[in-house]
Each structure stands twice: as structure tokens, then as C-alpha cells.
Amino acid sequence: MKKQNIKGMLLPELQAFVESLGEKKYRGAQLFSWMYAKAAQSFGDMTDVSKTFRDVLSEAAVLENLQLVSRKDSKDGTSKLLFKLSDGLAIESVLIPPERKSPAAEKRLTLCISTQVGCPLDCKFCATGTMGFTRNLTTGEIVDQVLQSQRLRDRRITNLVYMGMGEPMLNYDNVMKSVDILTDDRSLNIGTRHITISTAGYADRIRQMADEDRKVKLALSLHSLDNDKRAMLMPITKKYSVNDLVESIEYYYHKTRNRPTFEYILFEGFNDTEADVKRFIALSKRIPCKINIIPFHSIEFTHPTGFSASLRPTSQTRVDQFAEKLRNADITVMIRASSGEDINAACGQLAIHGVDKDRRKQHSIPGPLPAQPIDSSL
Ligand code: SAH
């Protein structure tokens, strides 16, 4: 019988699993707490679980852990973590320190997590897109990014953004299950409203989130309200037009009353004109929203060609002017700080490229890797 990986199971699933082993149901809650609240790395760590039960478990189950293989620290306090999965593939997560100095913000520690190995969407400005797509992450792999990252820091991870590698809506069930586990008060108890899921725009899934009354925050990577221009930047626009998207977000807002965030990278001369400001103002009249302006982070290290290579960041002065015009129309605008750009850990810069030309091999790490010292001061 194949051993079951229990990391990623919800409480009822764990209870059913232990019962299938002839054990009492309460053992399920014990496992839940050891895995998700106390980050046990093996059954041996579960000290108040009887030796007999631990032996039964070892026969039937495994506890799969992501392996931290490297960590890059930015001068701004951001850390990019490279994890190896059990099949040798690799993903990245990014720990982001608080942006502003306010008592509330100072307590914040945000983790940006991945949902897929690579990404199939091929957005023209994103480094992850150049990796192609290998597979979805399991629920356990999504949850374990948080558990393993938390082990590196004394301070509690308070906020999660599903903005790492991959498109969360293409791995919807595992993503939502990971949210259910991480927000459980017997687990890490992360506040649902402290979790943001960012999507390139799967209109059907946005409606589904609304119908399921999901309380997490929704961010939409918009980048242009002009359908033709958005299609040049994001091929997914050919499947869901700007119109479809806006309608799905409108539906989401009316059902949940949650204000969505629109993410908008400013590209010089492409989507930073007066006409773009007007489109946004019209949109904000339809849907109360926030706009998050993201500076374009260079993806030159991926050697872009064609249209991708022509994209340039808008100058800081123009970014401020663009934001000002929106604010004058009473729209809430944030200009996102670029965390970790010096280590290629900023938005859209996550990509794992090996020397091998074969795409599948590019995403895996040849093992064995030297053990990495973990700095407790992190
Ligand atoms: N697939 C999801 C989540 C991953 S991308 C999505 O599209 O939303 C996370 C955010 O980083 C998105 O808003 C994306 O548009 C942005 N991004 C991607 N490449 C970027 C780059 N080079 N510079 C700045 N932001 C980028």
C-alpha cells in the first residue's frame, strides 16, 4: 500500500484517516495540531503521541517536508527562499518585511507563496512565464511554504499573498484548501482578511469565489483596460476579455461587498496615458476598488526578445502623476514598494533556470545538495 502524505489534509480528513487505521478520532486533532501549529517535521517529533501509534503511522503515512536549499537576503530585509519538492522540482517563496513604519505595520510579516511549478500563462512581462508550466502544487506543498518559512523567523507570519509562481485559479481546489488549513485557529490561525489571492483573471473562478462567499482578499492583475493592449501583455485576455473580467469582478463585489484590488504595472508610453486614467475612473464608478500601482521590475535576466524586450518602466515622476490623477478622482491608490529587487525577488521576478536546455530539467535541482546553514537571526 502506498503511504499517504498527511500534510495537506483537513481535520475531518485526518480524523477519517486515523479511524481507517483503527485509531480513535481524537488522534486526528493531535496530528493536525502537531503538523500545522507546532510544525512537526517527523512523527518522532510528536512527543505526546504514543510510540505504538507513531509506529502505526510510520507504516501507513509519511510527513513530506519541503527542503530549504537556498536563501538570498536583500539589503531591504526581503528573503527569497528556494525550496525543493519531494520529486526534485523547485519553487520559491518570498518573506517580505513591513513596508511602512507605523506601529501596526511594524508587526506585519508577509509571505509571498507559489501555487504552481512554473506558470502556463506566458504574461509578457513576467519571468515565471518564461519557465513554462510543469505542475500544480499539492495542498501540502502550499501549506508547507508557510510552515517552513515560519521556522526561520521568530516573528509570526501575519499576512499571506498568493502572488509567487503560478496562477492560483488554475489550482483552485488546493489553493482554497490551503487557505482553510492556514486560517484554522488550531493551526497557524492567519486572519482570512490578511490573505490576498492574486489572479491574472479567471472570470469563472472569480464568480465561484463570490458564490462560495470566500472572505480572502481578491487582487486582479489588470495592467490595461484596453482589450487589445491587455491581450498583447497577457494572452489570457483572448479567453476572458477585459469586459468578461470586469463583469465577473462586479458580480464578486455585489455578492461579497469586498473591494477588489486592481494591480497595474506602468509601462512607459503603453498603458500610462491620459486615456488609461479615464478608463480607470470610469471603472471605479462601476466597482469601488483599490488600485495598486506596481513598478515594472526588470526581467532582463531572462533575455527577453520581441514585444517583451520593448517594455520599459514608467519614470517615477510619471508614476506619481498617474497616481495623483486617480487620487483626484477619489480612488484609493497605493504605489507598491519594490521589495527584494536586488535579489530578483520582486513581483514577477521569480524564475528558476538551470543550465540545461530541457525545460522540465530546468525546474529540478540535481541532488544531493549541501545542507544550508539556517541563520536564526532571520
Ligand atoms: N498569476 C497571478 C499571481 C502571480 S504574479 C497573477 O497574475 O496575479 C503576482 C503579481 O506580480 C501580478 O500582479 C503580476 O502581474 C505581477 N508581475 C509579474 N511580473 C512582473 C514584473 N516584471 N514587474 C512587476 N510586477 C510583475
Side-chain angles (χ1 to χ4, degrees), residues 305-317:
T305 53
F307 175 63
S308 297
S310 73
L311 295 169
R312 295 270 167 271
T314 297
S315 71
Q316 189 57 50
T317 324

Side-chain angles (χ1 to χ4, degrees), residues 125-126 163-164 166-167 198-200 221 223 263 265 295-297 347-348:
F125 45 81
C126 180
M163 293 188 190
E167 168 53 41
S198 178
T199 175
S221 297
H223 309 323
E263 296 163 288
I265 308 173
F296 176 40
H297 303 124
C347 285

